[in-house]
Amino acid sequence: MKKPVVDRNICEGYAVCVGIAPDVFEMDKENKSVVKNPQGADEQTIQDAINGCPVQAISWAKE
Ligand code: SF4
């Protein structure tokens, strides 16, 4: 099972990922996206979130 990771140093809090996959990503107190459930959506939906992030802060974790 592939897992997405968010690079907090790159994330600028646009929350596009949360809009696309709200069961996978959530915004924390610093307005950065964190992965709350890597299995909260199917792989294609997560890929859409990766593609939708304006600053490419999300990637697949190395297995
Ligand atoms: S879409 Fe990208 S920049 Fe926006 S909150 Fe998600 S990871 Fe951060």
Side-chain angles (χ1 to χ4, degrees), residues 6 10-18 27 32-33 52-55 57-58:
V6 176
I10 299 175
C11 174
E12 292 185 9
Y14 295 106
V16 176
C17 52
V18 178
M27 305 309 292
K32 304 277 188 182
S33 172
C53 176
V55 290
I58 314 168

Side-chain angles (χ1 to χ4, degrees), residues 1-61:
M1 182 78 199
K2 292 164 81 178
K3 292 182 183 172
V5 290
V6 176
D7 187 330
R8 297 179 61 80
N9 295 319
I10 299 175
C11 174
E12 292 185 9
Y14 295 106
V16 176
C17 52
V18 178
I20 293 173
D23 293 330
V24 177
F25 303 97
E26 67 183 352
M27 305 309 292
D28 69 8
K29 288 190 220 93
E30 295 172 30
N31 202 36
K32 304 277 188 182
S33 172
V34 292
V35 176
K36 64 175 174 178
N37 179 8
Q39 297 176 12
D42 62 29
E43 203 173 298
Q44 183 58 54
T45 302
I46 295 173
Q47 185 63 54
D48 289 345
I50 290 173
N51 296 346
C53 176
V55 290
Q56 283 91 50
I58 314 168
S59 59
W60 291 110

